[in-house]
Amino acid sequence: HDAGCDPSDAAVEGVKRLAKQSHPTLPVGLLIRNKRRELGLSQDDLARQLGVAQGSISKLERGLGGEQHAPAILAALKSERKG
């Protein structure tokens, strides 16, 4: 096993840094949940958009895993506009 940093790990850490800069007291999962709800999207809607399991969205929002999906989720939410 390579001791170096996996590129996906670097992306997750970058997302966490950005989240802390924006809202230092909120975990990434909570930021994602708040933004998703603000846009009127269900976990299932977002999961279908991204081609991931709804459970991955749920786990990430609850802080139980799914961090590998955080960069794609945040990018999708950032580009979404409330209709």
Side-chain angles (χ1 to χ4, degrees):
H1 180 24
D2 183 23
C5 187
D6 183 316
S8 62
D9 290 344
V12 169
E13 288 308 311
V15 166
K16 288 179 181 178
R17 273 195 306 280
L18 274 173
K20 284 185 187 274
Q21 289 171 1
S22 302
H23 300 278
T25 60
L26 292 180
V28 172
L30 189 56
L31 290 172
I32 288 172
R33 182 176 64 196
N34 290 347
K35 184 65 173 174
R36 176 183 58 75
R37 288 179 174 174
E38 177 186 313
L39 294 169
L41 296 171
S42 69
Q43 288 180 347
D44 198 48
D45 293 334
L46 183 57
R48 272 193 302 242
Q49 260 186 8
L50 296 170
V52 301
Q54 177 271 331
S56 295
I57 306 290
S58 176
K59 283 181 180 178
L60 178 59
E61 289 184 0
R62 292 180 293 140
L64 301 176
E67 289 88 0
Q68 71 274 19
H69 300 299
I73 292 168
L74 289 170
L77 290 173
K78 187 175 180 181
S79 68
E80 260 312 303
R81 296 288 178 247
K82 193 172 183 177

